[in-house]
Amino acid sequence: MLEGLVGGLFNGISIGAVLLIVALGLAIVFGLMGVINLAHGELMMLGAYTTYVVQNGANGLGDWAVESYILVALPLAFLVAALVGLLLERSVIRFLYGRPLETLLATWGVSLILRQFVRSVNWPMVIGLGVFALLFGVGRWILSRYTDWARIARWANPVVSILSAAIALVAGLVVQGAGNPTFTRAWFSTRNVDVTPPSWLRGGVSLGATLQFPSARLFIIALTILCLVAVYWFLNGTTWGLKMRSVTQNRAMSACLGIPTEQVDALTFALGSGLAGIAGCAVTLLGSVGPNLGGNYIVDAFMVVVVGGVGKLVGSIVAALLIGIVTYLVGSGTVALLLTGNEALQPVTDFFTFFATTSMAKVMVFALIIAFLQVRPAGLFPQKGRSVEA
Amino acid sequence: MTTRFGRRKFLAYGSATLGTAMLLKACGSAPTDSTGGEEDAPTAAADGDTIKVGILHSLSGTMAISETTVVDAEQLAIKEINANGGVLGKQIEAVLEDGASDWPTFAEKAEKLIDQDQVVTVFGCWTSASRKAVLPVFESKDHMLWYPVQYEGQECSKNIFYTGAAPNQQIEPAVDWLLENKGSDFFLVGSDYVFPRTANTIIKEQLKAKGGNTVGEDYLPLGNTEVTPIITKIKAALPEGGVIFNSLNGDSNVAFFKQLQGAGMTPDMYPVMSVSIAEEEVRQIGKEFLVGHYAAWNYFQTVETPENEQWVADFKAEYGDDRVTNDPMEAAYIMVYLWKQAVEAAGTTDLAAVREAAYGQEFAAPEGPVTMNPNHHISKTVRIGQVRDDGLFDIVSSTDGPVDPQPWNQYVPETQGFGCDWSDPAKGGKYEVEA
């Protein structure tokens, strides 16, 4: 009985930890900034692909590298996702603050672009994009230095961009035409890639006769706690965290007091994206890595943040653990098992037995969440006092 | 920065850039849609007269991963036939269409191939859903489709030739082998759609008939990666170990095997028999998680026949040394040859004549000899393989010879005692077999 209880609790917490690490970045981006980022899953995917690249690099270095590559992959996944997030914020999202619908559509578009990018990225494409960025940047810089840019911007911008694009296209095609097949081959292709965790994360820790805690789950729980502590410290113990919280609570007033709100926005978004990258690295221990990886997690991530309540990290923590434990208890039939043997409760037992499959457990969790949001539309821990600007 | 770079402008340029990048890509990798015209082609085809066949698979979307490999195998077969003089002295011209992993698109493209391109036959489809979507098209136009993938049976169309396994050529022998060698308690895991559910219905009936027990079953929604509840259920139902029969499809397999290993469920206690994992999937899941588990197919890359050695060598020479061959690819390859033999036996590409001529066609396939039956399925050898360290399969069991196909399942009460015979107009797609 005790073993069953411990095992059940551990499994529930481990499902919750996965949900939480996936939702943590979103809790910052959506919870603190109010940006509905549908590309969050794709940032995770980039983190997962970073892990794949690091793993392939480690395979050439010998056994010690194969055993420890994940420790290098984690910070790198954070960096890659944070940089892409920063780029995304500076180039798309900052023009859409305060317009949730447009943000939603734009980020959904970005998510499709990122998926296709991963499927088809190869050297010619990278070279083409690089040439374009270089020409466009240099062209604008020269023009803005030697001419009255404000006056000619209307026609100069399109001209420069079209010219750069044309040259980039030609450059790409030349490379494509001249290149040998290994050079023009897609890096990842549409296939899922195989990420194999180091051997110490593939087994489990046995406890007692029947209990076995998978190492991958223990690792993810530890990682989640680490990320939580780091985020908490960052928000409450650093100057930038303080600025972030003040901008979240009252943007106009913060700007009046000299806080660089634009920089804070960029930093916040990059932090949230970086956490998505870490989550992407973590889920490679559990599942497959492919262009559609993000789609499998995005709904769950939003679910956690919405149930937790916008604007408070603690809400997301409690929500993730609750959803994890309920999903596990219902889906594995533990609830139904506990109730059996009680004659009076037979109908209740049958009810839970019906829901004791993976698909139906999900249905039940969704139903419970909908019911809960009817009672508390703002989630578990709604923001008190001044509301967050949406 | 002297001015702000406006949002609208940004979007315009941004999309221009991306469009450019995508164009680059598209120009670079446009698939060749014709495999005709080998340089060493005989002069018979010089009059420009070709025979058009359709190839209809998903070249994009979720199923592209699997289906593109099948296209490769079909194109290799066509290329070989053309190099050896073609069919009826004419070169084969393949018209390639993309079903885009979307079932209505499959139906549209099938109509296009038949009406616009006037192809004489179509090779195509992977999922049962796509086959069910094109079936009405082929039946209403009385045309011909060749389908290369193992499936759940319970279908026998006059207009489709099935070269993959029927359940009695894959699932049933696998269950028999497990009962004999691995124990009688089965837990069934599958993805939540038509094939696994039908397959599991058959398995449950079969276990009932043979004295095994189904101790539990569960279905994962496609794309779901949280397997913990299922693993708990398996452990509760089979505390001493037992057989797991797995009909999961796609990504869920990766999650399932990774987490199974983490939970300490090793193949010696919990052997998993899979029906959707072949060489290609082993590579994507990661062989470390699969070593020691089993799969049931008619063909493995490791089959030791001279035909297979030749075919694997040819395939690698054509597509690269890192490629592997698997069962659906092999079935796709042989169906092109079976069609060619039928056309040559009929002496014409007229559909009815080809259909008649197809019955009884034999081919020395890489998997061993196969024969087309009057019920539009082929007799095939059945094999059980165990994943070994290099990601290929050790063949641990194989039937003595080809097993005759039974499209209508004999364990499911609704279809028990039915057969299918298109060579006899009185019998057709579903008739009561005389006991």
Side-chain angles (χ1 to χ4, degrees):
Chain A
M1 188 67 222
L2 179 71
E3 276 198 353
L5 194 71
V6 171
L9 197 66
F10 173 81
N11 284 329
I13 289 173
S14 63
I15 296 179
V18 175
L19 287 174
L20 183 54
I21 199 160
V22 167
L24 196 56
L26 205 66
I28 289 174
V29 170
F30 177 53
L32 298 183
M33 295 173 77
V35 173
I36 299 175
N37 179 17
L38 283 184
H40 184 80
E42 277 58 44
L43 292 164
M44 278 178 64
M45 173 195 77
L46 290 176
Y49 271 93
T50 308
T51 312
Y52 172 68
V53 171
V54 172
Q55 168 197 264
N56 287 358
N59 283 347
L61 293 175
D63 277 349
W64 60 271
V66 174
E67 288 300 311
S68 58
Y69 79 87
I70 194 109
L71 303 175
V72 180
L74 277 170
L76 266 180
F78 178 87
L79 270 180
V80 169
L83 284 174
V84 173
L86 189 66
L87 191 71
L88 179 64
E89 199 274 342
R90 290 286 82 188
S91 57
V92 180
I93 289 172
R94 72 171 163 150
F95 304 108
L96 301 173
Y97 281 132
R99 298 159 65 187
L101 268 180
E102 284 92 333
T103 314
L104 190 146
L105 283 172
T107 50
W108 185 57
V110 168
S111 83
L112 294 179
I113 288 169
L114 284 175
R115 278 183 205 192
Q116 194 53 45
F117 175 80
V118 170
R119 286 195 192 108
S120 48
V121 62
N122 59 4
W123 281 114
M125 185 172 165
V126 171
I127 289 168
L129 284 172
V131 168
F132 174 83
L134 195 75
L135 287 174
F136 188 69
V138 169
R140 286 231 8 205
W141 180 76
I142 290 175
L143 282 174
S144 59
R145 253 197 86 157
Y146 298 107
T147 58
D148 178 6
W149 177 255
R151 211 164 43 80
I152 64 166
R154 275 192 72 79
W155 58 267
N157 250 335
V159 166
V160 172
S161 64
I162 287 168
L163 269 177
S164 320
I167 296 169
L169 184 68
V170 170
L173 284 176
V174 166
V175 173
Q176 181 94 35
N180 56 19
T182 48
F183 184 71
T184 55
R185 200 167 56 181
W187 292 357
F188 307 117
S189 83
T190 53
R191 289 158 203 272
N192 288 0
V193 294
D194 153 34
V195 177
T196 308
S199 57
W200 53 277
L201 283 173
R202 292 210 295 266
V205 180
S206 295
L207 197 84
T210 55
L211 282 186
Q212 166 136 348
F213 298 151
S215 315
R217 297 280 180 179
L218 290 167
F219 183 79
I220 289 176
I221 291 173
L223 185 68
T224 310
I225 292 170
L226 192 74
C227 286
L228 274 176
V229 170
V231 169
Y232 185 83
W233 167 81
F234 181 81
L235 285 179
N236 295 303
T238 63
T239 340
W240 276 105
L242 184 68
K243 288 176 182 171
M244 220 182 261
R245 282 181 296 138
S246 68
V247 170
T248 307
Q249 284 190 357
N250 193 329
R251 181 175 298 271
M253 180 62 83
S254 309
C256 292
L257 293 171
I259 293 173
T261 53
E262 284 230 343
Q263 283 178 31
V264 170
D265 286 336
L267 185 77
T268 311
F269 199 87
L271 179 70
S273 305
L275 288 168
I278 289 189
C281 182
V283 297
T284 59
L285 303 178
L286 299 176
S288 65
V289 178
N292 297 326
L293 175 138
N296 298 339
Y297 292 98
I298 186 83
V299 174
D300 289 344
F302 270 102
M303 198 164 68
V304 167
V305 178
V306 168
V307 171
V310 167
K312 281 262 182 69
L313 279 182
V314 69
S316 297
I317 300 170
V318 176
L321 290 179
L322 271 179
I323 292 174
I325 290 171
V326 171
T327 305
Y328 175 77
L329 289 181
V330 175
S332 66
T334 313
V335 178
L337 206 67
L338 289 177
L339 293 171
T340 38
N342 192 330
E343 290 300 320
L345 290 176
Q346 194 53 42
V348 185
T349 313
D350 291 345
F351 172 80
F352 277 109
T353 311
F354 174 73
F355 279 100
T357 67
T358 312
S359 313
M360 289 318 285
K362 227 178 168 73
V363 171
M364 190 165 184
V365 168
F366 270 117
L368 286 172
I369 287 172
I370 292 167
F372 170 78
L373 289 177
Q374 298 303 317
V375 183
R376 302 198 58 163
L380 284 168
F381 300 97
Q383 195 80 340
K384 289 193 177 62
R386 297 186 206 88
S387 63
V388 181
E389 285 181 46
Chain B
M1 286 289 292
T2 46
T3 51
R4 287 211 25 193
F5 181 27
R7 175 173 53 89
R8 197 164 293 166
K9 289 206 186 89
F10 167 78
L11 285 176
Y13 308 151
S15 47
T17 319
L18 260 153
T20 312
M22 296 302 164
L23 262 176
L24 264 183
K25 179 69 196 167
C27 298
S29 63
T32 47
D33 60 352
S34 161
T35 47
E38 284 304 301
E39 60 275 13
D40 56 347
T43 45
D47 55 2
D49 201 355
T50 57
I51 290 184
K52 275 190 179 175
V53 301
I55 291 184
L56 174 59
H57 285 289
S58 302
L59 310 175
S60 58
T62 22
M63 290 310 300
I65 295 169
S66 308
E67 293 199 58
T68 44
T69 61
V70 172
V71 174
D72 288 344
E74 285 160 10
Q75 292 197 318
L76 177 67
I78 290 170
K79 193 174 168 178
E80 286 175 1
I81 293 170
N82 282 341
N84 289 324
V87 182
L88 303 177
K90 294 178 183 172
Q91 292 286 287
I92 303 173
E93 184 189 338
V95 183
L96 193 58
E97 282 294 346
D98 180 8
S101 310
D102 176 59
W103 323 139
T105 306
F106 265 93
E108 275 168 41
K109 299 278 180 164
E111 287 195 12
K112 183 231 164 209
L113 284 171
I114 296 169
D115 295 337
Q116 250 177 290
D117 299 313
Q118 303 276 320
V119 297
V120 299
T121 184
V122 177
F123 303 110
C125 297
W126 177 293
T127 58
S128 290
S130 67
R131 191 191 66 251
K132 297 267 187 212
V134 301
L135 183 105
V137 176
F138 283 92
E139 290 196 339
S140 65
K141 297 184 189 292
D142 199 16
H143 214 273
M144 186 188 289
L145 169 74
W146 293 74
Y147 173 73
V149 186
Q150 44 79 246
Y151 79 120
E152 70 279 5
Q154 311 297 61
E155 183 180 299
C156 190
S157 168
K158 179 181 156 197
N159 303 90
I160 301 182
F161 284 99
Y162 309 79
T163 58
N168 76 310
Q169 296 168 307
Q170 184 194 23
I171 295 170
E172 291 172 25
V175 172
D176 287 342
W177 183 86
L178 288 166
L179 282 171
E180 232 165 87
N181 297 285
K182 297 283 164 188
S184 57
D185 290 345
F186 282 55
F187 194 100
L188 313 179
V189 182
S191 293
D192 210 348
Y193 76 108
V194 57
F195 167 67
R197 283 191 178 266
T198 315
N200 285 347
T201 311
I202 293 169
I203 294 169
K204 279 186 284 189
E205 293 293 341
Q206 191 185 346
L207 286 174
K208 243 186 254 171
K210 297 254 166 112
N213 337 308
T214 311
V215 293
E217 64 179 314
D218 204 341
Y219 297 92
L220 267 181
L222 278 171
N224 191 323
T225 55
E226 191 50 81
V227 193
T228 306
I230 291 190
I231 285 178
T232 303
K233 278 174 145 179
I234 296 175
K235 276 191 164 172
L238 298 168
E240 302 303 311
V243 177
I244 301 171
F245 203 99
N246 161 30
S247 45
L248 288 168
N249 206 330
D251 296 358
S252 307
N253 271 315
V254 186
F256 183 69
F257 282 102
K258 276 187 179 176
Q259 294 174 41
L260 204 63
Q261 194 175 59
M265 295 159 82
T266 48
D268 53 328
M269 263 182 87
Y270 293 94
V272 180
M273 174 66 77
S274 306
V275 288
S276 301
I277 293 181
E279 286 82 347
E280 191 64 52
E281 287 74 22
V282 172
R283 288 209 307 179
Q284 288 176 30
I285 294 168
K287 53 182 188 284
E288 292 83 356
F289 299 102
L290 285 167
V291 171
H293 289 297
Y294 298 90
W297 292 104
N298 309 100
Y299 168 85
F300 292 105
Q301 191 178 322
T302 42
V303 167
E304 289 175 356
T305 61
E307 291 86 1
N308 185 41
E309 274 167 39
Q310 185 61 47
W311 186 56
V312 173
D314 290 348
F315 190 87
K316 288 189 176 215
E318 180 77 22
Y319 297 108
D321 249 348
D322 59 338
R323 295 289 302 271
V324 289
T325 57
N326 64 24
D327 185 286
M329 289 156 77
E330 191 257 2
Y333 176 81
I334 61 180
M335 76 187 179
V336 178
Y337 273 98
L338 283 170
W339 166 81
K340 166 197 176 251
Q341 285 173 221
V343 170
E344 292 192 325
T348 165
T349 54
D350 176 66
L351 290 167
V354 173
R355 207 173 292 136
E356 284 298 319
Y359 308 140
Q361 284 299 338
E362 291 179 8
F363 181 66
E367 67 182 63
V370 296
T371 315
M372 177 56 72
N373 285 248
N375 63 11
H376 284 218
H377 293 64
I378 59 178
S379 307
K380 320 181 73 155
T381 310
V382 186
R383 297 180 169 91
I384 311 282
Q386 185 174 25
V387 183
R388 60 187 200 199
D389 291 338
D390 63 355
L392 295 176
F393 288 86
D394 249 340
I395 296 165
V396 292
S397 150
S398 122
T399 52
D400 295 335
V403 175
D404 288 339
Q406 292 171 342
W408 301 110
N409 194 271
Q410 300 306 305
Y411 287 104
V412 177
E414 296 84 68
T415 52
Q416 203 167 8
F418 283 96
C420 165
D421 184 351
W422 286 108
S423 60
D424 179 352
K427 290 178 176 172
K430 194 173 182 183
Y431 71 97
E432 197 106 30
V433 180
E434 304 298 321

